Amino acid sequence: MWSDPVTEAVQGGGKMLLVSGPSGTGKSTICKRLGEDPRVVFSVSATTREPRAGEVNGRDYQFVSKVGFSEMIQAGEFIEHADVFGNMYGTLRAPMRDAIAKGLVFLVEIDVQGALQLKTLDTPGIYVFIKPPSLEVLKARLSGRGTESSEVLERRLQKAEDEMREAGKYDHVIVNNVLEDAVEELRLISGLAQEPTS
Ligand code: ADP
Ligand code: 5GP
C-alpha cells in the first residue's frame, strides 16, 4: 500500500489548501484573512527575488541566493518549484508534512504553473483558483497595488489571460468580487467554517 506521509496525515484531518490564480487577483489578501484562524499554517516559500519594503525573511518568504536555491533543489527540499517572472520560487516539503501531520490546514499560495505541477503529481489537497471579476478589474487592482513597473504589469496581464484558461483544472473557482464573500467561500470550501468539535 502507498504510505506517503502526506496522504496519511490528510486522513488524520490535516490538509493542503492550495490557492492560486493570476497575479493581482487578491490571493494574498484572501489568504491573509484565512490565516487569522489558528488552524491555518502558511506555507513560507523560498525565493530568489529581492525582498520588498516591509517584507520579513522567514515570515513572508525565505529569501535565498540563486546558488542557495539550486542547492535546495538538489537536496530535494521542494515539493514544487517554478520560475515566475524571472525569479525562482519553491514550496518547502518539510513544513507541509509537519503541519498536515498535526491536523492543520497548510495554506499554499502559489502561481498557476506550480499548482498544476502539484496537481499532476496527485498531491492530495483542495485546489482553489481565484478569479478577478474581469480583466479590467485585474488591471486596476494590479496598478493600484503599485508594486510593479508598467512593463512588468503588462507582462502579468498577458500571462493572466492564459492562466484564466486553466481554471477548469481546479476543484473550485472563486470570483474575488467582494472580499468578504470570497473569504467566506474559501472558509466553507476548506472546512474552516465549522468550529472544531473538541
Ligand atoms: P495577488 O496576491 O493575487 O497578487 P493581492 O492580494 O496583492 O493579489 O491583491 C492585489 C490588489 O487588489 C491589492 O492592492 C489588494 O488590496 C486589492 N484587492 C484584493 N481583493 C480585492 C477585492 N475583493 N476588492 C478590491 N480590491 C481588492
Ligand atoms: P510575488 O513576487 O508577487 O510575491 O509572487 C509572484 C508569484 O509567485 C505569485 O503568483 C505567487 O503566488 C507565486 N509564488 C509564491 N511562492 C511560490 C512558490 O513557492 N511556488 C510557485 N510556483 N509560485 C509561488
Side-chain angles (χ1 to χ4, degrees), residues 147-163:
T147 47
E148 281 83 25
S149 66
S150 58
E151 186 220 334
V152 171
L153 196 140
E154 211 42 57
R155 264 199 294 152
R156 290 191 177 207
L157 283 172
Q158 272 169 20
K159 195 168 174 206
E161 285 195 56
D162 295 335
E163 289 174 336

Side-chain angles (χ1 to χ4, degrees), residues 127-153:
Y127 290 72
V128 183
F129 188 93
I130 309 288
K131 238 184 183 179
S134 67
L135 284 171
E136 287 70 32
V137 171
L138 180 65
K139 188 171 184 179
R141 283 185 189 165
L142 259 181
S143 37
R145 192 171 67 180
T147 47
E148 281 83 25
S149 66
S150 58
E151 186 220 334
V152 171
L153 196 140

Side-chain angles (χ1 to χ4, degrees), residues 22-29 109 141 145 176-179:
S23 180
T25 41
K27 301 183 294 293
S28 309
T29 309
E109 187 230 302
R141 283 185 189 165
R145 192 171 67 180
N176 179 20
N177 189 7
V178 177
L179 180 63

Side-chain angles (χ1 to χ4, degrees), residues 19 21-23 27 43 45-47 49 52 55 61 80-82 84-85 87 89-92 109-115 117 145 148 156:
V19 173
S23 180
K27 301 183 294 293
S43 169
S45 297
T47 183
R49 124 158 127 59
R52 293 189 188 124
E55 283 185 330
Y61 281 105
E80 66 74 39
H81 59 89
V84 187
F85 307 116
N87 292 305
Y89 294 81
T91 306
L92 291 155
E109 187 230 302
I110 59 175
D111 88 316
V112 173
Q113 337 162 40
Q117 276 185 54
R145 192 171 67 180
E148 281 83 25
R156 290 191 177 207

Side-chain angles (χ1 to χ4, degrees), residues 95-113:
M96 166 135 136
R97 206 174 33 218
D98 295 348
I100 292 174
K102 286 185 192 146
L104 299 168
V105 172
F106 190 68
L107 183 56
V108 176
E109 187 230 302
I110 59 175
D111 88 316
V112 173
Q113 337 162 40

